Amino acid sequence: MKHPLLFLLLIWSSSMLLGQKERDLSYKEVPVLTSAQWQSFEMKDDEDTGLLIYDKDRDMFVQYNGERWIELTDGGDVHGALARNKDMLSLRQSYLNNIEKSAKKNAHQVPKLKKKRRRALQVTEEDKGLILFDGNFQLYNGKQWVELGDGGNFDNLMNRQKNIVGLKDDYMSNWKRSYGIGLYFGRVYSSFFRDEKYPSNPFINGLADGWEFGINQNLIYQKFFQSRFYLGYQTYGVSETFVGTDRTVVANWKFNGAKASILPIMLTPGTRDIKLVIGAGAYARYNFSNEFSVDGFNGEVLTSTEDIERFEYGFQGQLGLQVHRFFLDINAYNQYNHLFSSFETPRFLDRRFIQTKSYTLTLTYNF
C-alpha cells in the first residue's frame, strides 16, 4: 500500500464519525406533580403560557394555554417508536434497552432528538400522542407534529407560589442544594517549590498554615457530574529554613489576597444524599499584600517583596465528600506561573524561580 498512513487516517475518521452518530440518547425533564399541586398554582396568563407539567396521578401531560389547563397525552410509546426507527437513527441495541427502561420508570423524561432526526422519524397513526423534544416539545397528533413550546418557566412559577403544601418547600430545598449559593471556610497549608538547581538550599521546613473563606456556586448539578465556581479571600504563609555552618536562618512569608477557582470537571458517584467528589480545574489568585521577615539573622537581607508577582494562577485538584448540603473537600493547588517576576533576581540570592504549592481543607454549606 502506497499510503498506509492515509488509509489508517480514513479508518480512524470513519470510526469517529460513527461514534458521533451513535451518541447516547439524552432526555429533557418535565416537572412531575400531583393533580392537587398543579391545580393550586396561581397562574399569570402572560408569563405562564406554554407551561408543561406531568400529572403523576393520571399519567398525563397537561399544558397551560394562557387561559386554562389542557390535557394532552401520556407521551406515547416513545421507546417503541424509536426502536422502529433504529436503522435511521443508528441507535445501538444496548441503549435501546435503556430507552425502554427509562420510559417505563421515568415517564416525565422526554427523549431529545435533533430536529432533522425528529422530522425523519417514520411515524404512523399508532404513534398518536408521541412527545419528543428538539429544542421545543413536539406532539404528534396522528397526522403531523404540533409544537408545544419550550415547557415554560417553571422555576419562576415556583418562586411565586406561597402555600402549596408539599411542593414549594421540597422544590426550594432541592434547588438550594443543587444551585444555591454556598459559604465555605478552609484551612490553608502552603510551601515553596524552587528551581531544581537548588534541591536542598533552602530546605522546606514543613508546611505553613493560613485560612480562607468565601462563596461558591454550582454551575452544573447532575446525578453523577457537577461543575463549581469558588470566589474567596485567602491569607497564607510560607516558612523556610536555611541551614549554614554556624547558624540557622528562618525566612517567613505571608500573603493576603483574593482567589477564584473553577472546577469544570467533577465526578460525583454515590447516592442522592451522599456522594464522593473527584474534581479538576484551575485557580487564580491576586495578592493584595505580602510580608517578609527573617528569624536568626541580624544582617542585611538581600531580598524584597517588590520582586513578588502579585498575580498567580495554576492547577487545582479536589477530593471530597458531599452529605446533603454539606461539602467536605481537600483541594491541592500547584502554581503554573512564577511567583517572582524575573528569572534573574539578584536580590534573592540569584534564585531562578519560585512557585507555590498549597492544600486546603474546606467545609461548605449550601443555603
Side-chain angles (χ1 to χ4, degrees), residues 102-119:
S102 179
K104 291 181 177 179
K105 184 179 179 181
N106 300 307
H108 62 289
Q109 288 190 333
V110 178
K112 296 171 64 175
L113 294 176
K114 292 183 178 180
K115 290 184 178 180
K116 63 179 182 179
R117 294 290 179 89
R118 192 262 305 166
R119 291 168 181 162

Side-chain angles (χ1 to χ4, degrees), residues 128-338:
K128 184 178 180 179
L130 183 66
I131 292 182
L132 299 174
F133 183 83
D134 64 359
N136 286 290
F137 289 96
Q138 303 283 347
L139 169 67
Y140 187 69
N141 66 4
K143 296 182 179 180
Q144 62 183 3
W145 291 99
V146 178
E147 187 172 304
L148 299 176
D150 61 3
N153 191 348
F154 182 71
D155 290 347
N156 185 60
L157 174 71
M158 287 304 307
N159 290 331
R160 295 202 315 266
Q161 307 309 305
K162 306 298 180 186
N163 299 307
I164 300 179
V165 178
L167 179 59
K168 184 177 181 181
D169 290 343
D170 182 64
Y171 170 81
M172 292 304 293
S173 176
N174 290 332
W175 186 89
K176 287 178 180 178
R177 175 167 57 166
S178 301
Y179 299 106
I181 295 292
L183 294 181
Y184 73 89
F185 177 82
R187 289 285 291 171
V188 183
Y189 301 91
S190 303
S191 65
F192 279 153
F193 177 78
R194 293 183 175 273
D195 194 306
E196 61 274 9
K197 292 184 177 181
Y198 303 93
S200 61
N201 184 15
F203 176 75
I204 296 178
N205 184 26
L207 298 174
D209 60 0
W211 52 269
E212 177 182 357
F213 68 90
I215 61 174
N216 68 5
Q217 173 72 59
N218 288 329
L219 304 177
I220 298 176
Y221 191 95
Q222 298 180 359
K223 188 174 182 180
F224 300 124
F225 180 81
Q226 298 177 20
S227 291
R228 195 179 304 160
F229 175 75
Y230 292 85
L231 180 63
Y233 182 84
Q234 186 179 80
T235 177
Y236 69 100
V238 178
S239 180
E240 297 183 302
T241 299
F242 297 78
V243 179
T245 56
D246 58 348
R247 71 178 60 191
T248 299
V249 178
V250 179
N252 297 304
W253 298 82
K254 185 176 181 181
F255 301 90
N256 300 278
K259 182 170 72 66
S261 301
I262 185 168
L263 293 169
I265 302 174
M266 297 176 64
L267 304 179
T268 56
T271 66
R272 181 173 179 271
D273 292 321
I274 302 178
K275 297 177 179 291
L276 177 67
V277 180
I278 305 172
Y283 81 95
R285 179 164 47 207
Y286 184 83
N287 295 314
F288 297 129
S289 64
N290 50 70
E291 303 173 13
F292 175 72
S293 62
V294 178
D295 297 332
F297 183 68
N298 297 322
E300 182 180 0
V301 179
L302 297 179
T303 189
S304 170
T305 57
E306 295 178 359
D307 294 319
I308 296 295
E309 189 71 51
R310 287 188 176 272
F311 181 73
E312 61 176 276
Y313 56 90
F315 306 104
Q316 176 178 347
Q318 184 181 93
L319 179 64
L321 181 68
Q322 176 186 347
V323 180
H324 192 55
R325 295 190 196 176
F326 289 93
F327 301 81
L328 182 63
D329 304 310
I330 298 176
N331 295 278
Y333 304 93
N334 188 10
Q335 185 181 352
Y336 180 76
N337 67 330
H338 302 122

Side-chain angles (χ1 to χ4, degrees), residues 10-54:
L10 288 173
I11 293 178
W12 178 81
S13 301
S14 300
S15 64
M16 290 296 292
L17 289 173
L18 181 62
Q20 291 177 359
K21 193 176 181 181
E22 298 185 349
R23 291 179 60 186
D24 288 349
L25 197 68
S26 59
Y27 295 88
K28 177 72 173 180
E29 188 170 289
V30 176
V32 178
L33 305 175
T34 65
S35 298
Q37 287 172 337
W38 65 260
Q39 289 170 359
S40 300
F41 282 156
E42 303 168 5
M43 307 301 293
K44 291 186 178 182
D45 295 350
D46 55 341
E47 294 183 19
D48 300 322
T49 299
L51 185 67
L52 189 66
I53 298 291
Y54 187 83

